[in-house]
Amino acid sequence: MTAAFLQSTLSRKNLMALTGLFLCFFLVIHLLGNLQLLLPADRAGESFNYYSNLLSGNIFIKAISYILYLSLIAHAADALYITIRNRKTAAKYAYDNRKQASKWYSRNMGILGTLLLIFLVIHFKDFWYVYKFGVLPFDKNGNKDLYTVVVYAFKSWWYVVVYVLSMFALGFHLLHGFKSAVRTLGLYHPGYARLVQVFGTVYSYVITIGFAIIPVYVHLTQFGLWN
């Protein structure tokens, strides 16, 4: 019984690590595409709409998108399963010294993951669903005008605040998740442990700041506060 449980848990941890690393790779691609929103408005709309149309029309990218959806579902489901099973089977100690040995975000990955899941539901509803199933106008090049939808959303200060806070939650999630995934897959060798640590930290900061600055920039430019 114990062996079966360990095998099941390890398998799910490996799957969660693999899906997590794939999502890390996707975040880089997604950020590179979204950085087009930082271009001057007359160029940003045309470039971003072309990019969005390319993603939705390319067969190869469509196939990758299905892998993305499955990865998101599997990652969230495995995290929930492992968290529940660990809590049910964990031994109770009179004194728990983990707070001195780990960062607060490492101990609260479940909370951070839940916040990110809520954000993803909102994000998919406001952008992905609207683009796929909504009625959007077309720009002068015949592409769906998703740029206008994004700009309209980021005009609301509270939406920008929610977005930025969600990106910080993502950053803390990545700080622990990247190293944890590498360790789970057996790739965390002492010889280059420091390199993995530095790379994971830099990656987390770049992704967080990169995504967080976009809604702030778009919001401020709409009111002439950032030219």
Side-chain angles (χ1 to χ4, degrees), residues 93-209:
Y93 296 96
Y95 179 71
D96 189 346
N97 199 37
R98 287 177 300 170
K99 291 185 178 180
Q100 298 180 14
S102 62
K103 302 291 186 180
W104 70 268
Y105 51 80
S106 299
R107 301 190 305 272
N108 293 283
M109 288 291 282
I111 295 176
L112 292 172
T114 301
L115 293 175
L116 290 175
L117 184 60
I118 294 173
F119 167 77
L120 281 175
V121 172
I122 297 173
H123 190 68
F124 270 73
K125 177 185 73 68
D126 290 344
F127 300 118
W128 178 85
Y129 183 85
V130 170
Y131 188 84
K132 291 289 186 179
F133 306 105
V135 179
L136 293 179
F138 293 88
D139 64 14
K140 63 181 181 180
N141 296 316
N143 297 317
K144 287 186 177 181
D145 193 3
L146 183 61
Y147 175 75
T148 298
V149 175
V150 173
V151 169
Y152 180 80
F154 290 155
K155 278 185 177 180
S156 302
W157 67 267
W158 63 267
Y159 199 98
V160 173
V161 171
V162 169
Y163 195 102
V164 171
L165 290 178
S166 298
M167 291 306 99
F168 276 95
L170 172 64
F172 286 120
H173 193 77
L174 292 173
L175 276 174
H176 173 75
F178 181 83
K179 185 173 72 173
S180 178
V182 173
R183 189 188 297 275
T184 296
L185 296 174
L187 304 175
Y188 198 75
H189 190 276
Y192 48 82
R194 178 61 180 171
L195 179 61
V196 172
Q197 178 71 37
V198 172
F199 178 83
T201 300
V202 172
Y203 169 83
S204 302
Y205 275 81
V206 170
I207 292 296
T208 301
I209 296 173

Side-chain angles (χ1 to χ4, degrees), residues 6-23:
L6 290 175
Q7 183 177 4
S8 174
T9 302
L10 288 174
S11 297
R12 288 183 176 275
K13 283 187 175 181
N14 286 331
L15 179 59
M16 186 165 66
L18 288 171
T19 55
L21 290 178
F22 174 77
L23 293 173

Side-chain angles (χ1 to χ4, degrees), residues 45-61:
E46 182 178 344
S47 180
F48 185 72
N49 289 338
Y50 173 79
Y51 160 76
S52 301
N53 180 69
L54 179 65
L55 292 183
S56 63
N58 187 284
I59 296 178
F60 174 75
I61 296 178

